[in-house]
Amino acid sequence: MIFRNTDSHAILDNKTGKRINPAESIEIGDRVWFGNRTTILKGVKIDDDCIVATGAIVTRNVPANSIVAGIPAKVVKSDISWRLQR
């Protein structure tokens, strides 16, 4: 899993000198299951009871009780719950 709350390098507006790509927090709810090799980008909030599929790159907020997959990640199933027990 990779969490990227910054772009690593500052990008500045030449006219104002101000940074145009500031860092942003990432918020993760309760009971979120991450598959292998997932990437979560800055500014994203993942609500409770979600599943992030293997290899997904999450670029936008994820609503509660959802499965997201793909690049960029999209909701592929809603209104789900999951348990640790098999």
Side-chain angles (χ1 to χ4, degrees), residues 1-76:
M1 230 175 339
I2 298 170
F3 292 92
R4 302 226 7 132
N5 67 341
T6 180
D7 296 328
S8 298
H9 299 286
I11 299 173
L12 306 175
D13 180 301
N14 282 334
K15 292 179 184 172
T16 65
K18 292 183 180 181
R19 186 172 182 170
I20 61 173
N21 67 330
E24 296 180 46
S25 296
I26 295 170
E27 296 181 46
I28 307 297
D30 294 329
R31 297 169 308 281
V32 176
W33 171 7
F34 293 96
N36 289 327
R37 299 181 323 273
T38 57
T39 302
I40 314 305
L41 298 184
K42 68 181 188 176
V44 167
K45 179 180 180 186
I46 301 175
D47 286 332
D48 298 342
D49 295 305
C50 288
I51 299 170
V52 180
T54 296
I57 298 179
V58 183
T59 61
R60 61 181 68 124
N61 294 343
V62 179
N65 305 98
S66 298
I67 300 173
V68 294
I71 303 171
K74 295 180 182 170
V75 174
V76 295

